[in-house]
Amino acid sequence: ATTASNIPAFRGRTVLMDAVIGKSLPLIRKLLEAGVDPLARDGGGRTAFDTADAQGKRFAAQFRKLVPDNRELSPHDAARA
Protein backbone atom coordinates (compact mmCIF):
# COMPACT_ATOMS: atom_id res chain seq x y z
CA ALA A 1 0.00 0.00 0.00
CA THR A 2 1.19 3.47 -0.81
CA THR A 3 1.45 5.84 2.11
CA ALA A 4 2.16 9.54 2.03
CA SER A 5 5.67 8.78 3.29
CA ASN A 6 6.44 6.75 0.17
CA ILE A 7 5.35 9.44 -2.27
CA PRO A 8 8.32 11.28 -3.76
CA ALA A 9 8.51 14.90 -2.64
CA PHE A 10 11.36 17.39 -2.97
CA ARG A 11 13.54 16.44 -5.96
CA GLY A 12 11.67 13.15 -6.12
CA ARG A 13 13.04 11.93 -2.78
CA THR A 14 10.92 10.17 -0.19
CA VAL A 15 10.80 11.20 3.46
CA LEU A 16 13.01 8.20 4.24
CA MET A 17 15.62 9.36 1.74
CA ASP A 18 15.64 12.80 3.35
CA ALA A 19 16.10 11.18 6.78
CA VAL A 20 18.99 9.16 5.35
CA ILE A 21 20.61 12.29 3.92
CA GLY A 22 20.27 13.87 7.37
CA LYS A 23 21.72 10.70 8.93
CA SER A 24 18.89 10.69 11.46
CA LEU A 25 18.93 7.09 12.68
CA PRO A 26 16.08 7.60 15.20
CA LEU A 27 13.84 9.06 12.47
CA ILE A 28 14.84 6.33 10.01
CA ARG A 29 13.93 3.70 12.62
CA LYS A 30 10.52 5.29 13.22
CA LEU A 31 9.78 5.58 9.51
CA LEU A 32 10.69 1.94 8.89
CA GLU A 33 8.61 0.82 11.88
CA ALA A 34 5.71 2.80 10.41
CA GLY A 35 6.01 0.82 7.21
CA VAL A 36 7.80 3.23 4.89
CA ASP A 37 9.17 1.33 1.91
CA PRO A 38 12.99 1.50 1.68
CA LEU A 39 12.70 0.32 -1.93
CA ALA A 40 10.58 3.27 -3.09
CA ARG A 41 12.43 4.98 -5.93
CA ASP A 42 13.07 8.65 -6.60
CA GLY A 43 12.89 10.30 -10.00
CA GLY A 44 16.34 8.95 -10.85
CA GLY A 45 15.48 5.36 -9.90
CA ARG A 46 17.45 5.41 -6.64
CA THR A 47 16.24 3.81 -3.40
CA ALA A 48 16.98 4.69 0.22
CA PHE A 49 19.71 2.02 0.02
CA ASP A 50 21.40 4.01 -2.74
CA THR A 51 21.02 7.18 -0.71
CA ALA A 52 22.57 5.45 2.33
CA ASP A 53 25.47 4.19 0.22
CA ALA A 54 26.16 7.76 -0.85
CA GLN A 55 26.56 8.72 2.83
CA GLY A 56 29.50 6.34 3.29
CA LYS A 57 30.10 2.69 4.13
CA ARG A 58 29.72 3.06 7.88
CA PHE A 59 26.39 4.85 7.66
CA ALA A 60 25.13 2.48 4.95
CA ALA A 61 25.84 -0.46 7.27
CA GLN A 62 23.97 1.26 10.12
CA PHE A 63 21.01 1.90 7.80
CA ARG A 64 20.87 -1.72 6.65
CA LYS A 65 20.78 -2.92 10.26
CA LEU A 66 17.57 -0.93 10.75
CA VAL A 67 15.77 -2.45 7.75
CA PRO A 68 13.58 -5.37 8.87
CA ASP A 69 15.11 -8.77 8.07
CA ASN A 70 11.97 -9.86 6.28
CA ARG A 71 12.20 -6.92 3.87
CA GLU A 72 12.70 -8.37 0.42
CA LEU A 73 15.30 -6.52 -1.61
CA SER A 74 15.33 -6.21 -5.35
CA PRO A 75 18.14 -8.21 -7.03
CA HIS A 76 20.02 -4.91 -7.64
CA ASP A 77 19.87 -3.91 -3.97
CA ALA A 78 20.43 -7.43 -2.63
CA ALA A 79 23.67 -7.73 -4.59
CA ARG A 80 24.97 -4.60 -2.89
CA ALA A 81 23.60 -5.30 0.61
Side-chain angles (χ1 to χ4, degrees), residues 23-79:
K23 296 185 178 181
S24 177
L25 294 173
L27 178 56
I28 292 166
R29 180 179 289 115
K30 287 183 184 279
L31 290 169
L32 291 169
E33 288 172 355
V36 171
D37 184 1
L39 297 177
R41 295 188 180 277
D42 66 10
R46 293 172 294 271
T47 68
F49 289 96
D50 299 314
T51 306
D53 289 342
Q55 305 307 312
K57 288 183 180 182
R58 183 174 179 206
F59 182 80
Q62 291 174 320
F63 172 76
R64 282 176 169 74
K65 287 180 183 178
L66 295 177
V67 177
D69 290 336
N70 63 351
R71 181 74 194 133
E72 188 174 318
L73 300 179
S74 69
H76 170 75
D77 291 319

Side-chain angles (χ1 to χ4, degrees), residues 3-21:
T3 66
S5 298
N6 290 329
I7 298 171
F10 182 71
R11 296 190 182 187
R13 294 190 304 250
T14 64
V15 172
L16 180 59
M17 290 174 185
D18 284 339
V20 169
I21 290 168

